[in-house]
Amino acid sequence: MTLADAVAAALFVGVIAYALFGGADFGSGFFDLTAGGARKGAQLRTLVDHSIGPVWEANHVWLIYILVMWWTGFPESFAAAMNTLIIPMLLALLGIVLRGAAFAFRKYAPTIGQARLYGTIFAGSSLITPFFLGAVAGAIASGRVPIDRRGDLWSSWLNPTSVLGGVIAVGTCAFLAGVFLTADAERSGLPKLTETLRLRTMLVGVVTGVVVFAALVPIHRDATTLAHGLEHRAAPLIVVSGLAGAATLGCLVTRRYRIGRVAAVVAVASVITGWGVAQYPWLLVDQVRIEDGAGADATLVGLLVVVGLAAVLVVPPLAYLFYLSQEADAEVEAELEDAG
């Protein structure tokens, strides 16, 4: 492994972390949106607030990490991607800002009408943000980001691979969130809510799984380099993802929610890793390789040193924060009972 490969691998670890932690965060918006009216959906929305409340801002640490690693370690490819994909990137950023503001304002809305408005904005932006981020990934993976000029501002991300990437991102986030919310509801002693979430999550999982494997057909025609990698080098990871997804559904059927969370994480991590392995060694597919697009060796070494420091100074507090967020207490259980 070269120095550039090591930095690219460290960057992609951030992509996986954001897909898992940020994905579960974004996916909660789907269940908030489909919870029902103010009275019917109160308990589910309270559960969503409790589940993501302590960590909803911390998850964006991974996005910041990805962007800093990218523009510092591979500046030319970052500039090329921002020039070509500025529209979906701005829309994703808009979604993040609106989502955060609406999530905070909803709790203090003076009227039911305003609370519903903020709730709709929160749920809607929770869906559009992963869609546009998935579209960006699809544009890069299908070779539509040229290194030497600005690509088309619209067709670069309005194409089969990008649209499917966005849809898969939304479905994956919703499925991951559903598995975690179901486990949270079961741990909080809410059998009716647990059953509702279990059934909805199973439906989302089946639909998302069908879309993921059906997408291989249009991707084969639209993104040949990526498709070749998925069918050969990354094929074992795609198989693992499918098996883990099936195992997650099995855990939901048999009501083994804690094991289901682990299986869901493996399924999502495998499919994301499969994309990275299929794309390797391209940084921008069919445009520039990792080795050719890397910055100076001194810069890459500095980045790896910072990554090592971050692993020691940042990851443990984040892990402890996530641990604390999973600890249900009597006050939260009482709040959920009152909401029901």
Side-chain angles (χ1 to χ4, degrees), residues 76 111 123 192 280-281 302:
E76 291 185 357
T111 66
K192 286 187 177 181
Y280 182 83

Side-chain angles (χ1 to χ4, degrees), residues 146-220:
I147 191 66
D148 56 349
R149 66 185 189 283
R150 167 178 276 185
D152 189 89
L153 290 177
W154 296 100
S155 64
S156 60
W157 60 280
L158 290 175
N159 58 76
T161 303
S162 293
V163 172
L164 285 169
V167 172
I168 291 171
V170 172
T172 300
C173 290
F175 180 58
L176 196 58
V179 174
F180 277 82
L181 288 171
T182 303
D184 285 347
E186 191 268 342
R187 188 176 63 248
S188 298
L190 303 170
K192 286 187 177 181
L193 183 57
T194 301
E195 187 65 15
T196 298
L197 284 167
R198 183 179 78 94
L199 294 175
R200 291 182 184 179
T201 303
M202 289 170 62
L203 178 60
V204 171
V206 170
V207 172
T208 302
V210 170
V211 172
V212 167
F213 286 96
L216 295 176
V217 176
I219 287 176
H220 189 274

Side-chain angles (χ1 to χ4, degrees), residues 5 30 52 107-108 122 134 175 182 192 200 212 253 314:
D5 286 337
F30 169 81
I52 72 172
K107 295 183 179 181
Y108 305 102
F122 164 74
F175 180 58
T182 303
K192 286 187 177 181
R200 291 182 184 179
V212 167
V253 171
V314 178

Side-chain angles (χ1 to χ4, degrees), residues 45 73 138 141 149 225 230 285 315 333:
R45 293 190 175 98
R149 66 185 189 283
T225 300
L230 291 173
V285 172
V315 173
E333 291 181 11

Side-chain angles (χ1 to χ4, degrees), residues 29 32-33 45 99 102-103 105-107 109 112-126:
D32 191 294
L33 184 66
R45 293 190 175 98
R99 183 178 187 274
F103 182 72
F105 292 158
R106 179 171 67 172
K107 295 183 179 181
I112 292 294
Q114 290 185 21
R116 286 176 175 172
L117 174 61
Y118 291 134
T120 301
I121 294 173
F122 164 74
S125 55
S126 296

